[in-house]
Amino acid sequence: MPTVETTSPTGMPTLLLLASRARREVTKETLATLNDDVVNNIIVDSINDAIEDIYFRAKWSWAKVTSSLTMVASQSEYTFPADFHRLATEIEIGSTKLPEVDAEEWARKTYVSGIGIVTPGQPTMYMVDRTFVKFFPTPSADFITTVPTVALVYYRRPAKRMVLADSASAPDIPVEFKEALVRFAMGRLKIFRQFDDFGLDLQRYEDIVQRQLNANTVSVHPPRIRPRNWASANYG
């Protein structure tokens, strides 16, 4: 079974509580349930968007998962877990790190005159696709006798997007981001309501995420969400 290296802290409020807070702050309305209306849909969509943005901002320690692949004789391709996003470490056999190659290098090294080299043995390299990994050469029966599994350490993607019916569930993200989720939803809702101060909430969202980034490891890439982009959003 996969194990999360650093589990998310407990205490994240439910979707209903987060949505209720965002709506109350902007519209002064109190929510008892997440009924199906435009405002609630905007809030829930915004919370989902914020979660996805946060996950893909960095190589978060709390999103790191250790799992394994069960080797099968003469099988080259192995499907990643459903929540796989990207490798966290190189794949190793024993204490040897295997080189990862791209599609061009894979084709160059595994084909001679258009004829695939299919002799099984101990894998010496691998190629990652979005949903699977391929090893070359394919594992042999002798190899899997000594190495039946290969460790897989990866960063997971967020769980499925939440819907109104998930009101009693908490978002799949550490509690440190609860204020960020609320602020992002507030900013989006203010854009819909044409409030001029939406940028304050979106900037607060960025500040919270940046603080967590500073406390984490290296960032994967710059933010995908910028406060200046939301003025052009169309929710009418």
Side-chain angles (χ1 to χ4, degrees):
M1 293 290 293
T3 58
V4 179
E5 185 168 288
T6 305
T7 56
S8 302
T10 59
M12 173 61 76
T14 63
L15 179 62
L16 174 60
L17 291 175
L18 293 171
S20 179
R21 159 93 189 282
R23 185 160 183 161
R24 184 175 64 252
E25 293 283 353
V26 177
T27 69
K28 310 306 178 185
E29 300 168 328
T30 301
L31 278 181
T33 60
L34 276 181
N35 56 302
D36 189 4
D37 66 18
V38 173
V39 172
N40 284 343
N41 277 289
I42 289 174
I43 291 173
V44 172
D45 281 345
S46 299
I47 289 173
N48 281 318
D49 289 346
I51 291 171
E52 291 176 354
D53 175 59
I54 292 167
Y55 261 85
F56 300 141
R57 286 278 187 105
K59 298 176 180 178
W60 300 105
S61 60
W62 47 263
K64 196 173 184 179
V65 178
T66 299
S67 184
S68 63
L69 298 172
T70 300
M71 296 288 99
V72 179
S74 300
Q75 179 177 316
S76 174
E77 294 184 7
Y78 296 82
T79 303
F80 286 131
D83 63 351
F84 176 86
H85 174 52
R86 62 167 61 229
L87 286 176
T89 63
E90 296 171 292
I91 295 177
E92 298 183 6
I93 291 179
S95 59
T96 303
K97 293 182 179 180
L98 300 184
E100 180 182 349
V101 299
D102 58 20
E104 182 178 351
E105 185 73 358
W106 177 273
R108 187 178 68 82
K109 289 188 174 181
T110 61
Y111 285 83
V112 176
S113 300
I115 302 175
I117 302 173
V118 294
T119 304
Q122 176 172 319
T124 58
M125 67 180 187
Y126 64 93
M127 181 183 74
V128 172
D129 203 328
R130 290 187 304 170
T131 59
F132 64 87
V133 59
K134 293 176 65 174
F135 290 98
F136 177 82
T138 56
S140 65
D142 289 341
F143 170 73
I144 67 171
T145 298
T146 56
V147 186
T149 61
V150 171
L152 180 69
V153 185
Y154 65 93
Y155 293 105
R156 63 187 178 92
R157 62 178 60 254
K160 70 178 182 66
R161 288 176 69 88
M162 304 187 80
V163 296
L164 298 175
D166 295 321
S167 62
S169 300
D172 179 26
I173 199 167
V175 67
E176 284 84 356
F177 293 101
K178 67 179 181 180
E179 183 68 14
L181 302 186
V182 171
R183 290 290 182 161
F184 190 78
M186 288 172 58
R188 281 272 193 89
L189 186 53
K190 285 182 177 182
I191 291 171
F192 174 72
R193 290 295 183 93
Q194 298 184 337
F195 291 179
D196 292 336
D197 63 341
F198 67 90
L200 297 176
D201 296 294
L202 295 179
Q203 185 57 56
R204 177 60 177 153
Y205 164 81
E206 292 290 341
D207 292 343
I208 295 169
V209 175
Q210 187 59 53
R211 184 169 66 246
Q212 293 303 316
L213 281 169
N214 293 342
N216 194 67
T217 55
V218 63
S219 178
V220 175
H221 50 65
R224 297 182 305 146
I225 293 179
R226 300 287 190 181
R228 64 175 179 272
N229 293 338
W230 302 116
S232 61
N234 180 12
Y235 296 106

